[in-house]
């Protein structure tokens, strides 16, 4: 089988296509023929060595993949050859609260990922693909989908009539917009591109803000929502946190996910967060149970992930370069075949 491998933190150019034997599933294990993968910003950081000692080398990168069961090991009755499946981001976090042990072995970081034609998964880490999704669409779910699901529904606890603010047009943000609308919430969506803003409106955004044209977008979001938004899906990190604090209502939640916007500004509004009793909630994907719950909701609603562009398996480097450019709207996919 062919797979991509990193020998060290050598960047996109360090991705090497190598040959390895197809593994055999042992007791409780499932051999999956991977057909599709999608990229997260976290994968780009990983390829560049941004996680330091927490990632291993050599490493098969990328966490999010989907495929077809090729074979099962002894004791596996939940899956059979031909089943279409999705692999969970955390193989050891099946349910309940997170812990160090449950969050050990994240795919594409401290454990080999899915940029491979075949991979062994423990049976506990697999979920069947919703029937209406293609494998490429299903491959968008494990990290970006579950992260947005956790931010909006599980930890954000969004109810009908409440307001969610999303930032940009990456995978997590678009999933968050879709899940918020699924919950009956209003959505304020931001972007630096007027063209992308028009696409956000077609996905159901109730109000949009160009954050370059409107640098005080947090204030404007608070004014539009009337009292401040209930949940901000914060993917920018400390670089956008000040405006997120301004946007959030008293007692509201900032679901803190990403690091896209760079270093903090000097005029920190953290004291305002304290004064308004806001909650800064870290979000790191979720469990297999969360993946299953999200898949059930997607199957029931017929929702489909937003796919930006699909690259063939021999153009993985170009796929990473496209992510690095920031030009994408939705998920960047790789067809493994």
């Amino acid at each position: 089988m062919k797979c991509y491998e990193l020998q060290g933190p050598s960047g996109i150019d360090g991705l090497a296509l190598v040959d390895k034997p197809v593994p055999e599933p042992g007791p409780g294990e499932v051999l999956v023929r991977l057909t599709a993968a999608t990229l997260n910003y976290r994968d780009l950081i990983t390829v560049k060595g941004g996680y330091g000692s927490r990632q291993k080398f050599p490493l098969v990168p990328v966490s999010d993949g989907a495929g077809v069961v090729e074979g099962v090991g002894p004791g596996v009755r939940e899956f059979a050859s031909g089943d279409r499946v999705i692999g969970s981001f955390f193989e050891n976090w099946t349910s309940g609260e997170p812990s160090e042990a449950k969050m050990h072995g994240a795919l594409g970081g401290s454990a080999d990922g899915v940029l491979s034609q075949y991979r062994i998964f423990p049976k506990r880490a697999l979920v069947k693909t919703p029937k209406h999704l293609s494998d490429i669409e299903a491959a968008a779910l494990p990290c970006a989908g579950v992260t947005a699901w956790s931010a909006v529904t599980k930890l954000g606890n969004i109810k009908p009539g409440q307001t969610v603010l999303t930032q940009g047009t990456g995978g997590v943000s678009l999933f968050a917009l879709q899940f918020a609308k699924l919950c009956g919430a209003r959505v304020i969506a931001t972007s630096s591109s007027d063209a992308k803003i028009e696409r956000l409106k077609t996905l159901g955004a109730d109000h949009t803000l160009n954050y370059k044209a409107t640098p005080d977008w947090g204030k404007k979001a608070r004014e539009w929502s009337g009292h401040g938004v209930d949940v901000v899906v914060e993917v920018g990190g400390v670089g956008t946190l000040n405006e997120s604090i301004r946007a959030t209502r008293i007692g509201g939640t900032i679901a803190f996910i990403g690091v896209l916007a760079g270093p903090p500004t000097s005029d920190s509004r953290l004291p305002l967060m304290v004064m308004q009793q806001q909650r800064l909630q870290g979000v790191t994907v979720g469990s297999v149970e969360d993946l299953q719950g999200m898949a059930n909701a997607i199957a029931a609603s017929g929702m489909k992930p937003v796919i930006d562009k699909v690259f063939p398996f021999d153009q993985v480097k170009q796929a990473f370069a496209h992510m690095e450019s920031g030009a994408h709207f939705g998920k960047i996919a790789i067809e493994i075949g």
Side-chain angles (χ1 to χ4, degrees), residues 18-175:
V18 300
D19 282 305
K20 290 185 176 182
V22 177
E24 292 287 334
E29 293 181 337
V30 179
L31 174 65
V32 176
R33 176 172 57 83
L34 291 160
T35 57
T38 63
L39 300 183
N40 297 289
Y41 187 71
R42 173 246 192 196
D43 299 316
L44 182 61
I45 295 174
T46 300
V47 165
K48 292 182 173 182
Y51 284 94
S53 62
R54 287 177 291 173
Q55 66 185 77
K56 74 178 193 74
F57 293 109
L59 173 72
V60 177
V62 181
S63 61
D64 289 13
V68 180
V69 173
E70 188 81 4
V72 300
V76 177
R77 297 179 179 83
E78 297 86 348
F79 300 97
S81 295
D83 286 345
R84 296 171 61 232
V85 293
I86 312 163
S88 179
F89 182 92
F90 290 115
E91 293 185 324
N92 299 319
W93 186 6
T94 55
S95 62
E97 294 296 312
S99 68
E100 184 175 354
K102 289 178 180 180
M103 297 177 79
H104 176 73
L107 270 62
S110 54
D112 279 336
V114 298
L115 270 190
S116 178
Q117 292 178 319
Y118 293 88
R119 191 185 189 279
I120 294 287
F121 291 85
K123 65 178 183 179
R124 66 177 180 274
L126 292 173
V127 165
K128 290 184 179 178
T129 298
K131 292 180 180 179
H132 73 290
L133 297 184
S134 68
D135 287 352
I136 284 172
E137 291 166 334
L141 302 182
C143 181
V146 176
T147 299
W149 178 260
S150 295
V152 172
T153 68
K154 181 183 178 183
L155 300 172
N157 198 29
I158 278 294
K159 301 290 192 298
Q162 292 187 317
T163 305
V164 174
L165 185 146
T166 64
Q167 300 173 345
T169 57
V172 171
S173 297
L174 295 189
F175 269 120

Side-chain angles (χ1 to χ4, degrees), residues 284-322:
T284 305
V285 199
S287 66
V288 181
E289 184 178 71
D290 296 326
L291 175 61
Q292 183 67 71
M294 180 195 66
N296 292 345
I298 288 173
S301 66
M303 189 192 110
K304 287 201 167 195
V306 179
I307 304 298
D308 173 77
K309 190 173 181 181
V310 180
F311 290 83
F313 196 49
D314 61 356
Q315 292 184 15
V316 163
K317 292 180 182 179
Q318 290 91 324
F320 272 100
H322 184 52

Side-chain angles (χ1 to χ4, degrees), residues 23 51 57 83 108 125 136 148 151 177 187-188 211 219 241 247 257 279 292 296 313 319 337:
Y51 284 94
F57 293 109
D83 286 345
I136 284 172
L177 190 164
V187 175
I188 302 172
Y211 60 79
K219 178 182 177 182
L241 185 56
I257 296 163
R279 181 163 61 110
Q292 183 67 71
N296 292 345
F313 196 49

